[in-house]
Amino acid sequence: MTTRLSSTEVTPHQHTTTIEHLLRRFQLKEVLDEDPSSKTIWLLGYISASTSDDMVVSGSKAAVVTLERLSFSAQAIGNLCVGTSNGTADSLLLSSLILDSAEHNDIYSWATGIVGATAFKPDIRVALIYPATQKHIDKHRRQQRKLIRETPELYAQVTKPYIDAQPASRIQWVYNILSKKMESERIVLEDPDPVDGFVILPDLKWDASNTNSMYLVAISQRRDVRSLRDLTQEHLPMLKNIACKAEHAAQKYGVSPDQLRLYIHYQPSYYHFHVHITNVNFEGRGMLAGRAHILDSVIHNIECISPDYYQRAMIPFVLGSTDELWKHWQLQEQE
């Protein structure tokens, strides 16, 4: 995310007004993480119910802001914050943003813009999660990583009950896309077939301009496939359909088939089946071993090794030490 305010339809101008209004009320609490290689920083703060409210954590809602531009450092963000009368911090950086191309879906908002009035074109990308849950905060906080070796038995005992307990509201933004309530103008390719179909649209991490960093996502029309573990021979037509039509979607951006990398995350950031489609020149955290599974290999494993390969395989994956799922694994180890 991915990354994704109200589920009602609004105009592009209203998108911009809404996110700017929220960001100007954002009060910084801490820098969750920073990544110099991707020029990205993640901020945690709170947004009060109105501009007249003091920032009282118990009366405000948490927000996670992602900023991506030329360079960031925690010290620089600290220098752009000033104390307020009630001892909190206001972010001058967010107050100086001039945004355009803003959009939203459920609790997620994103836009491009410039810092102040010195740039001639957008030089920053901002994404807002508001209100943010503890899961959103933990996901973006710097943390120690743990390697899990998940056998089919441990999947049944630990991971599957965790997935089954996830409320549908966590992926409401996905259903908004599939039903075309939100983001319909961003869809670049659609196959409406309820079994083997999907929609392809730009991922929120891509500004849809630089083809070398092209990042699309294919979201399945099916609601009964939640992760890699669910895939069987039954799903080969869907997987091959995505592999084929992803080439057509990428060609719209001038990216040829031999420049494509299609992969599936395990564990995924949300439990509704989707495939990541990127330019091979794009490098990111999501392509690391222990998370990304190349789609061609997934198809091969099911087709040539075993129809139920992913129900029988031991699948290693990496979890952050503050991840909600990691807590379930800790309980398993204590038994």
Side-chain angles (χ1 to χ4, degrees):
M1 167 156 134
T2 85
T3 306
R4 303 283 176 176
L5 288 157
S6 153
S7 297
T8 57
E9 296 284 354
V10 294
T11 67
H13 173 72
Q14 288 174 311
H15 286 316
T16 304
T17 302
T18 300
I19 189 172
E20 281 189 336
H21 179 63
L22 290 170
L23 291 175
R24 293 184 194 287
R25 288 158 43 205
F26 179 88
Q27 295 176 296
L28 179 68
K29 181 183 179 184
E30 66 175 286
V31 175
L32 292 172
D33 199 0
E34 56 181 319
D35 183 1
S37 62
S38 65
K39 305 162 189 174
T40 307
I41 194 163
W42 294 268
L43 308 175
L44 170 64
Y46 293 89
I47 297 175
S48 58
S50 70
T51 54
S52 61
D53 291 343
D54 290 333
M55 195 206 90
V56 180
V57 172
S58 60
S60 304
K61 294 180 180 179
V64 173
V65 173
T66 303
L67 298 172
E68 182 181 356
R69 61 162 302 178
L70 296 177
S71 63
F72 280 115
S73 71
Q75 181 179 4
I77 292 295
N79 291 339
L80 283 165
C81 298
V82 60
T84 61
S85 59
N86 62 353
T88 61
D90 284 329
S91 174
L92 299 182
L93 174 62
L94 297 184
S95 297
S96 68
L97 282 174
I98 301 174
L99 300 179
D100 60 13
S101 305
E103 299 191 50
H104 83 276
N105 184 346
D106 200 52
I107 64 171
Y108 304 95
S109 300
W110 60 100
T112 57
I114 61 176
V115 178
T118 57
F120 294 99
K121 62 181 181 179
D123 63 354
I124 194 168
R125 184 166 177 81
V126 57
L128 170 68
I129 305 176
Y130 174 76
T133 65
Q134 189 61 47
K135 182 178 177 66
H136 292 120
I137 296 170
D138 290 341
K139 175 184 175 181
H140 294 94
R141 192 190 300 277
R142 179 175 295 172
Q143 55 192 294
Q144 293 297 313
R145 305 289 171 179
K146 309 290 184 178
L147 179 66
I148 305 294
R149 294 175 175 85
E150 184 188 79
T151 62
E153 294 75 22
L154 287 172
Y155 167 74
Q157 294 171 24
V158 183
T159 307
K160 189 175 186 300
Y162 168 77
I163 296 174
D164 291 342
Q166 299 300 298
S169 59
R170 285 194 176 177
I171 54 173
Q172 182 58 49
W173 63 271
V174 173
Y175 301 151
N176 289 344
I177 292 173
L178 294 176
S179 63
K180 295 186 179 180
K181 290 181 179 178
M182 306 295 295
E183 302 189 55
S184 59
E185 72 284 354
R186 300 181 67 241
I187 295 174
V188 297
L189 190 149
E190 177 184 17
D191 184 331
D193 187 277
V195 177
D196 299 328
F198 51 89
V199 297
I200 296 179
L201 70 167
D203 188 273
L204 299 187
K205 291 182 282 293
W206 185 47
D207 62 6
S209 60
N210 185 347
T211 57
N212 280 328
S213 59
M214 187 202 74
Y215 198 142
L216 308 175
V217 62
I219 302 176
S220 171
Q221 299 281 5
R222 299 181 63 143
R223 300 192 181 192
D224 60 339
V225 182
R226 296 175 297 182
S227 78
L228 187 68
R229 282 285 189 191
D230 292 326
L231 296 176
T232 66
Q233 189 174 31
E234 172 194 349
H235 305 108
L236 285 175
M238 175 185 70
L239 298 178
K240 293 180 179 181
N241 193 24
I242 292 174
C244 176
K245 292 181 180 175
E247 296 184 1
H248 297 289
Q251 286 173 355
K252 295 183 180 181
Y253 300 100
V255 179
S256 61
D258 60 355
Q259 292 178 299
L260 286 184
R261 179 194 280 124
L262 279 66
Y263 56 94
I264 302 163
H265 280 157
Y266 192 75
Q267 297 290 323
S269 56
Y270 55 95
Y271 292 99
H272 179 103
F273 186 72
H274 58 285
V275 176
H276 301 263
I277 307 164
T278 68
N279 191 316
V280 292
N281 292 301
F282 174 75
E283 300 291 342
R285 291 180 175 182
M287 296 162 198
L288 296 175
R291 192 175 188 201
H293 297 255
I294 299 297
L295 180 60
D296 285 341
S297 296
V298 171
I299 292 173
H300 173 82
N301 290 339
I302 297 172
E303 199 167 41
C304 302
I305 298 179
S306 173
D308 59 349
Y309 178 90
Y310 288 100
Q311 289 74 57
R312 299 170 56 188
M314 187 279 288
I315 306 179
F317 60 86
V318 175
L319 279 181
S321 58
T322 64
D323 193 288
E324 187 179 350
L325 179 55
W326 169 242
K327 299 170 186 175
H328 292 261
W329 279 89
Q330 284 182 306
L331 292 174
Q332 171 66 27
E333 291 179 350
Q334 293 169 7
E335 293 180 357

